[in-house]
Structures are given as structure tokens and as C-alpha cells.
């Protein structure tokens, strides 16, 4: 039986009530429009914790592009039904004014990793992410929090933040879930046109099979992507590219066997 909570003071009262005492709490923060990728994080949390909390909050401070925020898919009642079917205990879906009583006067900043890759192309994005995750951690007080490797840079930054601020939470990375054709699942995939959806799996395929970064970039452009970056670091390849107006990201481990 999952309980949907929109009212933050109600949640805070519940969180400090005896019901939660000594129970392990797994937390999966999301922006909703749930898909199997999100569900895989929730399943793992349910398996590893006595209680699982899902948050659904489209966080405006992490959007550098107003159009992207405007068109971000919102499917709250469907999300709540999916969470209920899965056995999630609480769905937290607060309002902007609840999460930002300070109107975003206070923020978390990281000044190295956050400046590269997605950070270089989305000014302010990671400050928005880190700030909202810090706030949610304080509200949910999770034992474990689950993050997808789909957003690998985000996972590293959150893990780093938890360590830097001595936060009493384990940050658990979860493997990327893909469609049968290899496209990494993402809420933004819903915004692809049917033709774009057919092209989209090329992103993962070219990233995996390309000989080097120059070849990958050229092949992506030839396939119709507008590339933000391709990058290789510590045995992992990273890509961000637009298909039409939709920005897709992916990353994969790779082995140099040629
Ligand atoms: P989002 O709602 O896009 O902010 O994602 C919420 C969480 O789900 C983040 O930790 C994401 O990395 C994770 N996630 C999104 N898509 C996938 C996927 N295809 N596989 C695994 N995790 C994912």
C-alpha cells in the first residue's frame, strides 16, 4: 500500500514518527514519467530496505533550457499507480515553494567534475541537481539512495557530495536499463518523433562500436545527431547529442581490443 504525500510538513511529521524508527529507508529520487529504468532502482531499493521512498519532483533549478522544462513529461497519477503496483511505501511529490523556501538563494556547488561534459553544456545544471538532492536527503533521511549509471556524471557528483559533507547515506549505483534495440531508457525518449525513435539506438551502437572519438563523432553526425560531446575516461565512453530538439545522453564501459 503506497501513500502519496504532497504536503511537506505532513511528510516531516511522519518521518520523525515512531513508524520509521530503526527501519532502513531506501530512496529513489526522480523527475517522474517513470519507465523500467526507474522501476529497476525501485525494485532494488525494495529488496534491500524495510521501507522505500520515491520522490517525483521536476526540479526547475537543474534545467538550463526553459523549453526543456516546459516540455518535460509529467505523468504523476500514472507514476503513483506504478509505484503502488511495485510496493513502494511512500511517494513524495512536493511543490517548488516547499522545496525552495529560500527561492534558491542557497546552493551546493562543486567546481571540478561539474564543469566538464554535461556541466560544460548545461550551465548551472549540476548545482541544481546537487542542491535538490541535498534537500531531499535531509527530508527523507535515507539509509541508501539509488542512482542510475545512465547519468554517470551525476552519480559521481552525488557520491562525492555525500562524502564531502559526511552524509550518513550509502549511494548505490544501478546499471543502465535499455530498450531491446539498445537505446537507454529515458523520460525524454517520449518526446522523440517516430522517425527519431528509429534513429535513436544508433547513439549506443556507434558509441560502443566506434574505433575512436573522432570516428564516433563523425558517424553520429552522419546519422543525424548534433553532438554536444563524446569523451573517454577511465575505460568509459560518454556521449551527449541532440536528435531534433531532444538531448540524449549515454555512457558505456569499453575495452580496447584493437
Ligand atoms: P530522472 O527521473 O531522469 O531524473 O532519473 C531518476 C533516476 O533514475 C536517476 O538516478 C537516473 O540515473 C535513473 N535512470 C534514468 N534512466 C535510467 C535507465 N535507463 N537505467 C537506469 N537508471 C536510470
Amino acid at each position: 500500500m503506497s501513500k502519496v504525500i504532497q504536503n511537506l510538513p505532513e511528510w516531516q511529521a511522519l518521518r520523525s514518527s515512531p513508524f520509521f524508527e530503526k527501519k532502513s529507508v531506501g530512496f529513489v529520487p526522480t523527475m517522474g514519467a517513470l519507465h523500467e529504468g526507474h522501476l529497476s532502482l525501485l525494485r532494488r531499493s525494495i529488496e534491500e530496505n524495510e521501507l522505500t521512498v520515491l520522490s517525483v519532483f521536476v526540479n526547475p533549478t537543474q534545467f538550463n533550457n526553459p523549453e526543456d522544462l516546459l516540455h518535460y513529461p509529467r505523468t504523476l497519477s500514472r507514476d503513483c499507480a506504478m509505484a503502488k503496483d511495485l510496493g513502494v511505501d511512500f511517494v513524495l511529490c512536493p511543490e517548488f515553494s516547499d522545496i525552495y523556501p529560500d527561492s534558491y538563494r542557497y546552493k551546493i556547488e562543486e567546481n571540478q567534475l561539474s564543469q566538464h561534459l554535461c556541466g560544460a553544456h548545461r550551465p548551472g545544471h549540476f548545482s541544481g541537481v546537487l542542491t535538490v538532492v541535498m534537500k531531499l536527503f535531509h527530508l527523507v533521511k535515507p539509509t541508501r539512495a539509488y542512482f542510475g549509471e545512465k547519468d554517470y556524471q551525476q552519480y559521481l557528483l552525488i557520491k562525492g557530495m555525500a562524502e564531502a559533507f559526511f552524509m550518513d547515506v550509502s549511494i548505490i549505483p544501478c546499471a543502465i536499463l535499455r530498450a531491446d534495440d539498445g537505446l537507454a531508457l529515458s523520460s525524454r525518449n517520449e518526446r522523440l518523433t517516430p522517425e527519431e525513435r528509429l534513429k535513436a539506438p544508433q547513439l549506443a551502437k556507434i558509441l560502443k562500436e566506434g574505433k575512436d572519438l573522432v570516428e564516433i563523432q563523425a558517424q553520429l553526425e552522419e546519422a543525424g545527431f548534433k553532438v554536444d560531446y563524446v569523451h573517454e575516461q577511465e575505460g568509459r565512453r560518454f556521449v551527449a547529442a541532440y536528435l531534433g530538439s531532444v538531448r540524449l545522453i549515454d555512457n558505456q564501459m569499453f575495452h580496447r581490443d584493437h
Side-chain angles (χ1 to χ4, degrees), residues 16-44:
S16 52
S17 72
F19 177 77
F20 273 90
E21 215 176 320
K22 295 201 180 101
K23 290 197 180 92
S24 58
V25 175
F27 179 41
V28 179
T30 76
M31 298 205 297
L34 298 188
H35 51 65
E36 276 296 325
H38 298 118
L39 300 191
S40 71
L41 272 56
L42 287 166
R43 285 196 186 96
R44 180 139 177 220

mmCIF file of all heavy atoms in Angstrom, residues 16-44:
data_model
loop_
_atom_site.group_PDB
_atom_site.id
_atom_site.type_symbol
_atom_site.label_atom_id
_atom_site.label_comp_id
_atom_site.label_asym_id
_atom_site.label_seq_id
_atom_site.Cartn_x
_atom_site.Cartn_y
_atom_site.Cartn_z
ATOM 1 N N SER A 16 9.467 11.666 11.272
ATOM 2 C CA SER A 16 10.023 11.654 12.634
ATOM 3 C C SER A 16 9.134 10.888 13.623
ATOM 4 O O SER A 16 9.373 10.887 14.826
ATOM 5 C CB SER A 16 10.301 13.084 13.122
ATOM 6 O OG SER A 16 9.141 13.847 12.951
ATOM 7 N N SER A 17 8.099 10.220 13.076
ATOM 8 C CA SER A 17 7.193 9.449 13.947
ATOM 9 C C SER A 17 7.802 8.078 14.257
ATOM 10 O O SER A 17 8.713 7.621 13.557
ATOM 11 C CB SER A 17 5.833 9.270 13.258
ATOM 12 O OG SER A 17 5.971 8.349 12.189
ATOM 13 N N PRO A 18 7.280 7.398 15.284
ATOM 14 C CA PRO A 18 7.817 6.084 15.669
ATOM 15 C C PRO A 18 7.753 5.051 14.538
ATOM 16 O O PRO A 18 8.512 4.097 14.529
ATOM 17 C CB PRO A 18 6.909 5.660 16.835
ATOM 18 C CG PRO A 18 6.298 6.920 17.324
ATOM 19 C CD PRO A 18 6.210 7.850 16.173
ATOM 20 N N PHE A 19 6.851 5.261 13.567
ATOM 21 C CA PHE A 19 6.715 4.306 12.456
ATOM 22 C C PHE A 19 8.048 4.042 11.752
ATOM 23 O O PHE A 19 8.337 2.928 11.326
ATOM 24 C CB PHE A 19 5.682 4.836 11.458
ATOM 25 C CG PHE A 19 5.526 3.967 10.241
ATOM 26 C CD1 PHE A 19 4.793 2.783 10.308
ATOM 27 C CD2 PHE A 19 6.130 4.312 9.044
ATOM 28 C CE1 PHE A 19 4.663 1.962 9.189
ATOM 29 C CE2 PHE A 19 6.012 3.497 7.923
ATOM 30 C CZ PHE A 19 5.275 2.321 8.003
ATOM 31 N N PHE A 20 8.861 5.086 11.630
ATOM 32 C CA PHE A 20 10.126 4.964 10.901
ATOM 33 C C PHE A 20 11.291 4.507 11.775
ATOM 34 O O PHE A 20 12.345 4.149 11.260
ATOM 35 C CB PHE A 20 10.502 6.318 10.269
ATOM 36 C CG PHE A 20 9.899 6.523 8.910
ATOM 37 C CD1 PHE A 20 8.658 7.114 8.768
ATOM 38 C CD2 PHE A 20 10.586 6.125 7.765
ATOM 39 C CE1 PHE A 20 8.108 7.313 7.505
ATOM 40 C CE2 PHE A 20 10.046 6.316 6.507
ATOM 41 C CZ PHE A 20 8.805 6.910 6.374
ATOM 42 N N GLU A 21 11.060 4.514 13.076
ATOM 43 C CA GLU A 21 12.166 4.280 13.997
ATOM 44 C C GLU A 21 12.897 2.977 13.689
ATOM 45 O O GLU A 21 12.267 1.915 13.558
ATOM 46 C CB GLU A 21 11.624 4.249 15.432
ATOM 47 C CG GLU A 21 12.598 4.853 16.424
ATOM 48 C CD GLU A 21 11.982 4.877 17.811
ATOM 49 O OE1 GLU A 21 10.763 5.174 17.910
ATOM 50 O OE2 GLU A 21 12.696 4.579 18.763
ATOM 51 N N LYS A 22 14.196 3.073 13.550
ATOM 52 C CA LYS A 22 15.088 1.906 13.351
ATOM 53 C C LYS A 22 14.831 1.138 12.054
ATOM 54 O O LYS A 22 15.360 0.049 11.863
ATOM 55 C CB LYS A 22 14.988 0.950 14.546
ATOM 56 C CG LYS A 22 15.499 1.561 15.840
ATOM 57 C CD LYS A 22 15.864 0.480 16.848
ATOM 58 C CE LYS A 22 16.377 1.094 18.136
ATOM 59 N NZ LYS A 22 15.357 1.116 19.193
ATOM 60 N N LYS A 23 14.011 1.668 11.166
ATOM 61 C CA LYS A 23 13.789 0.956 9.890
ATOM 62 C C LYS A 23 14.755 1.504 8.830
ATOM 63 O O LYS A 23 14.998 2.712 8.773
ATOM 64 C CB LYS A 23 12.351 1.156 9.410
ATOM 65 C CG LYS A 23 11.332 0.434 10.264
ATOM 66 C CD LYS A 23 9.999 0.316 9.521
ATOM 67 C CE LYS A 23 8.950 -0.385 10.338
ATOM 68 N NZ LYS A 23 8.107 0.543 11.134
ATOM 69 N N SER A 24 15.294 0.600 7.993
ATOM 70 C CA SER A 24 16.147 1.073 6.905
ATOM 71 C C SER A 24 15.255 1.684 5.819
ATOM 72 O O SER A 24 14.166 1.175 5.515
ATOM 73 C CB SER A 24 16.977 -0.076 6.338
ATOM 74 O OG SER A 24 16.130 -1.102 5.895
ATOM 75 N N VAL A 25 15.734 2.784 5.272
ATOM 76 C CA VAL A 25 14.941 3.519 4.278
ATOM 77 C C VAL A 25 15.734 3.626 2.977
ATOM 78 O O VAL A 25 16.843 4.174 2.954
ATOM 79 C CB VAL A 25 14.599 4.936 4.798
ATOM 80 C CG1 VAL A 25 13.872 5.751 3.719
ATOM 81 C CG2 VAL A 25 13.750 4.858 6.060
ATOM 82 N N GLY A 26 15.157 3.091 1.914
ATOM 83 C CA GLY A 26 15.754 3.246 0.583
ATOM 84 C C GLY A 26 15.069 4.401 -0.126
ATOM 85 O O GLY A 26 13.856 4.586 0.008
ATOM 86 N N PHE A 27 15.850 5.171 -0.887
ATOM 87 C CA PHE A 27 15.300 6.378 -1.512
ATOM 88 C C PHE A 27 15.677 6.414 -2.996
ATOM 89 O O PHE A 27 16.839 6.214 -3.353
ATOM 90 C CB PHE A 27 15.862 7.604 -0.795
ATOM 91 C CG PHE A 27 15.397 8.919 -1.360
ATOM 92 C CD1 PHE A 27 14.083 9.112 -1.766
ATOM 93 C CD2 PHE A 27 16.283 9.994 -1.467
ATOM 94 C CE1 PHE A 27 13.657 10.330 -2.290
ATOM 95 C CE2 PHE A 27 15.871 11.213 -1.976
ATOM 96 C CZ PHE A 27 14.548 11.382 -2.390
ATOM 97 N N VAL A 28 14.661 6.675 -3.834
ATOM 98 C CA VAL A 28 14.893 6.825 -5.272
ATOM 99 C C VAL A 28 14.341 8.184 -5.711
ATOM 100 O O VAL A 28 13.131 8.346 -5.881
ATOM 101 C CB VAL A 28 14.211 5.684 -6.070
ATOM 102 C CG1 VAL A 28 14.451 5.859 -7.568
ATOM 103 C CG2 VAL A 28 14.723 4.319 -5.609
ATOM 104 N N PRO A 29 15.209 9.178 -5.866
ATOM 105 C CA PRO A 29 14.743 10.481 -6.351
ATOM 106 C C PRO A 29 14.596 10.466 -7.871
ATOM 107 O O PRO A 29 15.486 9.986 -8.580
ATOM 108 C CB PRO A 29 15.862 11.458 -5.944
ATOM 109 C CG PRO A 29 17.034 10.636 -5.559
ATOM 110 C CD PRO A 29 16.639 9.193 -5.523
ATOM 111 N N THR A 30 13.469 10.974 -8.366
ATOM 112 C CA THR A 30 13.234 11.026 -9.816
ATOM 113 C C THR A 30 12.506 12.322 -10.182
ATOM 114 O O THR A 30 12.007 13.031 -9.315
ATOM 115 C CB THR A 30 12.328 9.864 -10.320
ATOM 116 O OG1 THR A 30 10.968 10.147 -9.961
ATOM 117 C CG2 THR A 30 12.740 8.530 -9.732
ATOM 118 N N MET A 31 12.419 12.539 -11.503
ATOM 119 C CA MET A 31 11.581 13.627 -12.006
ATOM 120 C C MET A 31 10.318 13.052 -12.646
ATOM 121 O O MET A 31 9.657 13.733 -13.442
ATOM 122 C CB MET A 31 12.366 14.480 -12.993
ATOM 123 C CG MET A 31 13.585 15.137 -12.312
ATOM 124 S SD MET A 31 14.145 16.628 -13.112
ATOM 125 C CE MET A 31 14.629 15.981 -14.687
ATOM 126 N N GLY A 32 10.001 11.810 -12.312
ATOM 127 C CA GLY A 32 8.741 11.228 -12.774
ATOM 128 C C GLY A 32 8.790 10.739 -14.212
ATOM 129 O O GLY A 32 9.867 10.509 -14.756
ATOM 130 N N ALA A 33 7.585 10.589 -14.808
ATOM 131 C CA ALA A 33 7.452 9.930 -16.121
ATOM 132 C C ALA A 33 8.195 8.597 -16.051
ATOM 133 O O ALA A 33 9.099 8.303 -16.838
ATOM 134 C CB ALA A 33 7.969 10.812 -17.252
ATOM 135 N N LEU A 34 7.798 7.804 -15.081
ATOM 136 C CA LEU A 34 8.542 6.584 -14.743
ATOM 137 C C LEU A 34 8.576 5.586 -15.892
ATOM 138 O O LEU A 34 7.598 5.416 -16.613
ATOM 139 C CB LEU A 34 7.917 5.908 -13.514
ATOM 140 C CG LEU A 34 7.912 6.697 -12.206
ATOM 141 C CD1 LEU A 34 7.429 5.801 -11.073
ATOM 142 C CD2 LEU A 34 9.279 7.290 -11.879
ATOM 143 N N HIS A 35 9.723 4.945 -16.034
ATOM 144 C CA HIS A 35 9.894 3.861 -17.004
ATOM 145 C C HIS A 35 10.643 2.731 -16.303
ATOM 146 O O HIS A 35 11.002 2.841 -15.128
ATOM 147 C CB HIS A 35 10.629 4.365 -18.255
ATOM 148 C CG HIS A 35 11.905 5.091 -17.958
ATOM 149 N ND1 HIS A 35 13.003 4.472 -17.389
ATOM 150 C CD2 HIS A 35 12.264 6.395 -18.113
ATOM 151 C CE1 HIS A 35 13.977 5.339 -17.239
ATOM 152 N NE2 HIS A 35 13.552 6.532 -17.659
ATOM 153 N N GLU A 36 10.929 1.667 -17.058
ATOM 154 C CA GLU A 36 11.571 0.486 -16.458
ATOM 155 C C GLU A 36 12.906 0.817 -15.783
ATOM 156 O O GLU A 36 13.308 0.135 -14.847
ATOM 157 C CB GLU A 36 11.769 -0.611 -17.518
ATOM 158 C CG GLU A 36 10.557 -1.478 -17.743
ATOM 159 C CD GLU A 36 10.137 -2.300 -16.519
ATOM 160 O OE1 GLU A 36 11.006 -2.753 -15.759
ATOM 161 O OE2 GLU A 36 8.925 -2.469 -16.312
ATOM 162 N N GLY A 37 13.613 1.827 -16.285
ATOM 163 C CA GLY A 37 14.882 2.228 -15.659
ATOM 164 C C GLY A 37 14.650 2.648 -14.218
ATOM 165 O O GLY A 37 15.315 2.167 -13.285
ATOM 166 N N HIS A 38 13.671 3.529 -14.017
ATOM 167 C CA HIS A 38 13.319 3.954 -12.655
ATOM 168 C C HIS A 38 12.867 2.751 -11.816
ATOM 169 O O HIS A 38 13.217 2.617 -10.657
ATOM 170 C CB HIS A 38 12.167 4.966 -12.679
ATOM 171 C CG HIS A 38 12.470 6.240 -13.405
ATOM 172 N ND1 HIS A 38 11.770 6.633 -14.527
ATOM 173 C CD2 HIS A 38 13.371 7.221 -13.178
ATOM 174 C CE1 HIS A 38 12.225 7.808 -14.947
ATOM 175 N NE2 HIS A 38 13.197 8.177 -14.154
ATOM 176 N N LEU A 39 12.047 1.899 -12.466
ATOM 177 C CA LEU A 39 11.492 0.759 -11.717
ATOM 178 C C LEU A 39 12.599 -0.183 -11.247
ATOM 179 O O LEU A 39 12.505 -0.777 -10.169
ATOM 180 C CB LEU A 39 10.466 -0.011 -12.563
ATOM 181 C CG LEU A 39 9.239 0.779 -13.051
ATOM 182 C CD1 LEU A 39 8.190 -0.165 -13.638
ATOM 183 C CD2 LEU A 39 8.611 1.627 -11.946
ATOM 184 N N SER A 40 13.675 -0.292 -12.037
ATOM 185 C CA SER A 40 14.776 -1.184 -11.619
ATOM 186 C C SER A 40 15.435 -0.639 -10.337
ATOM 187 O O SER A 40 15.833 -1.416 -9.466
ATOM 188 C CB SER A 40 15.799 -1.355 -12.745
ATOM 189 O OG SER A 40 16.535 -0.167 -12.948
ATOM 190 N N LEU A 41 15.535 0.675 -10.227
ATOM 191 C CA LEU A 41 16.089 1.282 -8.997
ATOM 192 C C LEU A 41 15.143 1.020 -7.818
ATOM 193 O O LEU A 41 15.577 0.672 -6.709
ATOM 194 C CB LEU A 41 16.261 2.795 -9.173
ATOM 195 C CG LEU A 41 17.570 3.335 -9.770
ATOM 196 C CD1 LEU A 41 17.889 2.749 -11.130
ATOM 197 C CD2 LEU A 41 17.546 4.855 -9.845
ATOM 198 N N LEU A 42 13.849 1.175 -8.086
ATOM 199 C CA LEU A 42 12.861 0.980 -7.009
ATOM 200 C C LEU A 42 12.835 -0.475 -6.548
ATOM 201 O O LEU A 42 12.776 -0.744 -5.348
ATOM 202 C CB LEU A 42 11.468 1.413 -7.501
ATOM 203 C CG LEU A 42 11.285 2.928 -7.641
ATOM 204 C CD1 LEU A 42 10.034 3.248 -8.456
ATOM 205 C CD2 LEU A 42 11.216 3.596 -6.270
ATOM 206 N N ARG A 43 12.919 -1.408 -7.517
ATOM 207 C CA ARG A 43 12.916 -2.839 -7.141
ATOM 208 C C ARG A 43 14.095 -3.137 -6.238
ATOM 209 O O ARG A 43 13.980 -3.848 -5.242
ATOM 210 C CB ARG A 43 12.993 -3.716 -8.394
ATOM 211 C CG ARG A 43 11.688 -3.775 -9.142
ATOM 212 C CD ARG A 43 11.647 -4.930 -10.146
ATOM 213 N NE ARG A 43 10.419 -4.817 -10.926
ATOM 214 C CZ ARG A 43 10.338 -4.233 -12.110
ATOM 215 N NH1 ARG A 43 11.417 -3.749 -12.701
ATOM 216 N NH2 ARG A 43 9.169 -4.137 -12.735
ATOM 217 N N ARG A 44 15.242 -2.590 -6.593
ATOM 218 C CA ARG A 44 16.445 -2.849 -5.792
ATOM 219 C C ARG A 44 16.292 -2.261 -4.385
ATOM 220 O O ARG A 44 16.646 -2.890 -3.395
ATOM 221 C CB ARG A 44 17.659 -2.245 -6.511
ATOM 222 C CG ARG A 44 18.898 -2.460 -5.767
ATOM 223 C CD ARG A 44 20.067 -2.820 -6.652
ATOM 224 N NE ARG A 44 21.242 -2.942 -5.804
ATOM 225 C CZ ARG A 44 22.435 -2.516 -6.122
ATOM 226 N NH1 ARG A 44 22.648 -1.959 -7.289
ATOM 227 N NH2 ARG A 44 23.441 -2.660 -5.282
#
